[in-house]
Amino acid sequence: MYTLNCRGKLFVLHEPVVMGILNITPDSFYSGSRAENTPDLIARVEKMLYDGAAFIDIGGQSTRPGSERISAGEEAARVLPAIEQIMKALPDTLISIDTYHAYVARQAIEAGASVVNDIGGGWYDKDMLETVAKYKVPYICMHNNTSLANMHDKPRYSNITLEVIDYFIERIDAGKAAGIMDVIIDPGFGFSKNAADNFTLLKHLRELKMLQKPLLAGLSRKSTVYKTLNISVDDALNGSTVLHTLALQNGANIIRTHDVKAAKEAIILCGKVEESQ
């Protein structure tokens, strides 16, 4: 069991939970996750919460291969109105801000976000760790050992599981030195890894539990699913659910997904198996 201090709200992570993805972008790789700052936004968040999402992860910049980088100011202009709308309509919602910009993280927290989700692991913006520590919010630290410009390069690993663990040992220590209280680790499926790397990491995911931190798995509709199965991203729900199930069996505490209902059902059924005699 883990506890997370989400801006004064104590969240007890005693069983796996779902983090629903909401992209305020025109170019995220899965069109079903894209949202605009319209009245429909609240309805979409309400649906995810109803389906069982514990967190809503809001991002304003696509990080798919080939996507265009935008400035921190433009990213903030996309996400802040969405966060403000949600906080006004659904004030108890736990929002995670998906950004590698410390400026966006700061603005989002002040608007109501409770968690920072950083694909850069604190490397892409030197002020990120200090910003998270200042606001005392949980920090999702993702493994990604390439530069911002080359985040989808695929370096070779001699032992990917060991190298990911070593990365997190260093990053957890860096976060602790900065003053971050709650760290969630994300192995970064799809970032600086090929499909074989992703499958190997998933198979050995439980080994990351030695770090004694909550473990987030982000596998939803990624190319490891749809390219392996030779299908479209729109048809990748079933494959995503299979990998989510494997992640849960291997110790995942948070499933970050485009499809909340399916992930919640996987959690319930895996839980029943775990409880059985």
Side-chain angles (χ1 to χ4, degrees):
M1 183 177 72
Y2 303 96
T3 58
L4 303 172
N5 183 353
C6 301
R7 297 181 70 233
K9 298 177 183 177
L10 189 65
F11 185 86
V12 181
L13 195 57
H14 57 85
E15 62 184 9
V17 299
V18 179
M19 175 176 282
I21 299 170
L22 190 67
N23 290 317
I24 315 298
T25 61
D27 58 344
S28 294
F29 77 93
Y30 175 51
S31 61
S33 70
R34 300 174 196 162
E36 301 292 337
N37 288 304
T38 66
D40 180 62
L41 176 73
I42 299 303
R44 292 185 63 170
V45 174
E46 286 179 324
K47 178 67 165 56
M48 285 195 284
L49 295 174
Y50 177 81
D51 286 341
F55 298 92
I56 305 297
D57 192 46
I58 296 179
Q61 180 163 188
S62 172
T63 52
R64 64 173 175 79
S67 60
E68 181 182 355
R69 302 278 73 78
I70 62 173
S71 69
E74 185 175 352
E75 184 181 333
R78 289 178 177 181
V79 299
L80 293 180
I83 294 171
E84 290 165 357
Q85 281 189 63
I86 295 167
M87 286 292 96
K88 182 178 180 180
L90 304 163
D92 293 330
T93 304
L94 295 177
I95 292 176
S96 165
I97 179 63
D98 181 1
T99 185
Y100 52 78
H101 290 297
Y103 170 80
V104 177
R106 181 169 62 252
Q107 296 296 316
I109 294 167
E110 292 184 354
S114 304
V115 180
V116 173
N117 181 9
D118 177 15
I119 67 164
W123 289 115
Y124 291 173
D125 188 326
K126 63 180 178 59
D127 295 325
M128 180 61 88
L129 297 184
E130 288 75 12
T131 297
V132 174
K134 175 184 176 181
Y135 287 94
K136 296 180 172 58
V137 296
Y139 179 58
I140 301 172
C141 177
M142 194 185 83
H143 174 268
N144 186 356
N145 66 350
T146 56
S147 68
L148 176 58
N150 302 300
M151 71 171 72
H152 290 290
D153 285 1
K154 297 174 175 60
R156 292 187 177 182
Y157 300 91
S158 58
N159 184 324
I160 187 169
T161 306
L162 180 59
E163 291 176 50
V164 168
I165 289 172
D166 286 344
Y167 171 95
F168 281 127
I169 289 172
E170 188 279 330
R171 288 288 81 196
I172 291 168
D173 284 347
K176 184 177 181 180
I180 296 175
M181 303 300 293
D182 297 323
V183 175
I184 299 162
I185 59 173
D186 174 359
F189 292 107
F191 288 84
S192 66
K193 302 167 188 72
N194 60 32
D197 294 329
N198 292 327
F199 287 126
T200 298
L201 195 54
L202 180 57
K203 182 177 182 178
H204 297 280
L205 195 63
R206 189 168 290 277
E207 295 180 30
L208 274 65
K209 301 299 285 184
M210 65 170 287
L211 298 166
Q212 299 183 323
K213 299 295 182 184
L215 177 58
L216 181 149
L219 291 150
S220 180
R221 295 183 182 267
K222 289 190 172 177
S223 62
T224 294
V225 177
Y226 66 82
K227 288 186 178 180
T228 298
L229 298 176
N230 195 28
I231 58 176
S232 71
V233 64
D234 291 338
D235 294 327
L237 172 57
N238 183 61
S240 298
T241 302
V242 171
L243 297 192
H244 289 156
T245 301
L246 292 171
L248 290 165
Q249 291 177 335
N250 283 299
N253 302 103
I254 302 172
I255 299 295
R256 181 181 180 272
T257 182
H258 304 89
D259 307 286
V260 171
K261 187 173 186 291
K264 182 65 176 179
E265 289 174 348
I267 288 171
I268 292 171
L269 293 173
C270 285
K272 291 300 182 183
V273 173
E274 189 70 21
E275 293 169 5
S276 64
Q277 296 296 321

